[in-house]
Amino acid sequence: MEEDSVEKAQTAGRQPRTFTLDVTRAPTGRDGFDAFRHSFEAQTGEPWPLPSLDLGKRGGFRIRVRGAVAHDTLISDVHSEHFLGQPTVARESGDRFELHMVRRGSWRFSSPSGRGDDVTVSAGTFIARRNNPPLLFDVRPGTEATVLLLPPDVLGRATGGRPVVGPADSGEMRLLTAHAAMVRETADDLSLVGLRGARDALIELVRAVLRREFDDTEPRLARALARAAMDLADEHLTDPELSPATLARHLNVSVRTLHRAFTTAEESVSAYVRRRRLERARQELLAPLGRPTVSELAARWHFSDSSHFIRAFKKQYGQTPANLTAASEERTRRPPVT
């Protein structure tokens, strides 16, 4: 865990809710999981029932995790270097609902006996399942995923007892991913009431993923919607068709709902897109080689002309593109101080 998060939590008189674990250097797989469990319990101070892990003869456990505990839910960002084993959930962790969103690599779930389901969740997909009976985990080295652990009763019979596999780029999943990231980043700063609200919104968004629709009038989801729209906009800044309407369409909401969500961000959708495009243009202007012209930047970042781009740039940064590059070149020519 970052030191400032620990300090803030201790100042507030409670255990920190976020944690950072790195057992990639453990000499053996079993030592890795034991180190993981010890560090988790030491950092969170929570009676969270981590399962035992049967690593078998070929097993191993070398992962990095950043996560947060929010009441009875756990959010973790996982990077795996070696993970092959079987949770023994019946002994310790109880009945849980798991959701794995894989961004890179793959995560395979299979029956140890070879007679049950065998599902490989590849990059860009997710699996939602109960953790009982325990399945064998075979996680490809380099796999990155967001993993949610939730109490089963809050989801009712949403999955019908069967695993649900689907794409991770749906509007509902984008909202869930954005909200999970926000909770993981801010859990130590939230009040108990705020943490409960964040937890409840997380559960509602998981339900939305399983239903393939969400309640776009729910005020607790506004910040998640704004964050998801920002993440989506960042992926498409060079797209000339990028607009509030296209973002709303990808996220399965109305344009009005999207604009309403951005009131939590203190800037409009269009203002966010313009600011991010100017930031990218500024980065290109400061590049030591292959620096584009103002007209090229105006065209690339979809300003109507060079004059419009220069005015917008000066309004945001207090200087024209020419002033910025001249100052950058002057610093480069200036001899180092000895």
Side-chain angles (χ1 to χ4, degrees):
M1 176 187 294
E2 299 296 332
E3 291 184 3
D4 59 346
S5 296
V6 175
E7 183 177 349
K8 277 191 271 188
Q10 291 175 342
T11 301
R14 56 169 171 73
Q15 282 290 129
R17 299 160 180 153
T18 58
F19 56 91
T20 302
L21 310 173
D22 188 342
V23 293
T24 56
R25 298 179 184 178
T28 68
R30 192 168 301 281
D31 288 346
F33 185 71
D34 289 344
F36 179 90
R37 181 193 290 275
H38 176 76
S39 183
F40 176 86
E41 292 173 351
Q43 288 191 45
T44 65
E46 295 281 347
W48 186 271
L50 289 180
S52 292
L53 196 65
D54 180 2
L55 299 170
K57 294 181 179 179
R58 297 189 302 111
F61 191 89
R62 295 195 298 276
I63 65 173
R64 292 193 302 273
V65 178
R66 294 182 303 158
V69 174
H71 293 290
D72 55 356
T73 66
L74 186 144
I75 302 164
S76 57
D77 233 11
V78 179
H79 171 86
S80 169
E81 292 190 7
H82 190 190
F83 186 1
L84 176 65
Q86 177 186 344
T88 55
V89 299
R91 193 161 59 227
E92 289 182 323
S93 69
D95 196 13
R96 295 277 172 187
F97 185 89
E98 301 178 348
L99 194 147
H100 294 69
M101 298 171 278
V102 179
R103 298 186 301 276
R104 178 182 177 188
S106 63
W107 199 310
R108 180 178 170 230
F109 301 80
S110 60
S111 170
S113 67
R115 293 193 295 269
D117 292 333
D118 189 326
V119 179
T120 297
V121 185
S122 56
T125 57
F126 77 89
I127 184 171
R129 58 177 293 274
R130 297 287 282 272
N131 66 347
N132 209 354
L135 296 180
L136 179 69
F137 287 170
D138 188 351
V139 187
R140 181 178 177 181
T143 293
E144 295 178 357
T146 297
V147 180
L148 308 181
L149 300 183
L150 312 164
D153 56 307
V154 299
L155 297 164
R157 302 181 181 276
T159 67
R162 299 284 298 173
V164 175
V165 179
D169 63 350
S170 68
E172 296 79 19
M173 184 57 77
R174 284 183 178 274
L175 263 67
L176 174 59
T177 303
H179 181 69
M182 286 193 297
V183 176
R184 182 177 56 75
E185 293 163 5
T186 63
D188 281 325
D189 299 319
L190 295 174
S191 66
L192 287 176
V193 173
L195 189 68
R196 172 63 70 175
R199 175 264 188 201
D200 292 347
L202 183 76
I203 297 298
E204 179 59 32
L205 285 169
V206 172
R207 288 172 174 155
V209 166
L210 301 178
R211 295 193 306 259
R212 295 182 173 84
E213 63 178 1
F214 73 99
D215 181 2
D216 61 7
T217 64
E218 169 56 66
R220 291 177 300 184
L221 305 185
R223 290 186 64 218
L225 177 54
R227 172 76 173 258
M230 291 175 186
D231 292 344
L232 185 59
D234 287 346
E235 295 173 17
H236 297 278
L237 288 174
T238 59
D239 185 351
E241 302 301 320
L242 178 61
S243 68
T246 58
L247 292 173
R249 185 166 61 251
H250 281 295
L251 295 170
N252 296 329
V253 299
S254 68
V255 175
R256 181 180 179 182
T257 296
L258 182 62
H259 283 308
R260 187 168 61 243
F262 263 75
T263 60
T264 64
E266 299 182 352
E267 65 181 336
S268 68
V269 185
S270 298
Y272 177 81
V273 171
R274 182 170 58 253
R275 175 170 63 82
R276 295 291 289 138
R277 282 174 167 169
L278 287 169
E279 288 173 2
R280 294 283 295 274
R282 185 176 185 274
Q283 291 173 2
E284 293 188 50
L285 282 169
L286 293 174
L289 299 173
R291 186 178 295 158
T293 66
V294 168
S295 59
E296 288 171 338
L297 287 172
R300 182 176 305 162
W301 299 110
H302 308 295
F303 290 85
S304 56
D305 54 42
S306 297
S307 297
H308 182 207
F309 171 72
I310 292 170
R311 286 195 300 272
F313 192 95
K314 185 175 181 180
K315 182 177 180 180
Q316 178 149 328
Y317 294 110
Q319 59 184 160
T320 66
N323 295 149
L324 176 72
T325 54
S328 177
E329 290 170 355
E330 176 62 25
R331 286 192 297 269
T332 301
R333 290 193 298 266
R334 190 178 304 159
V337 177
T338 58

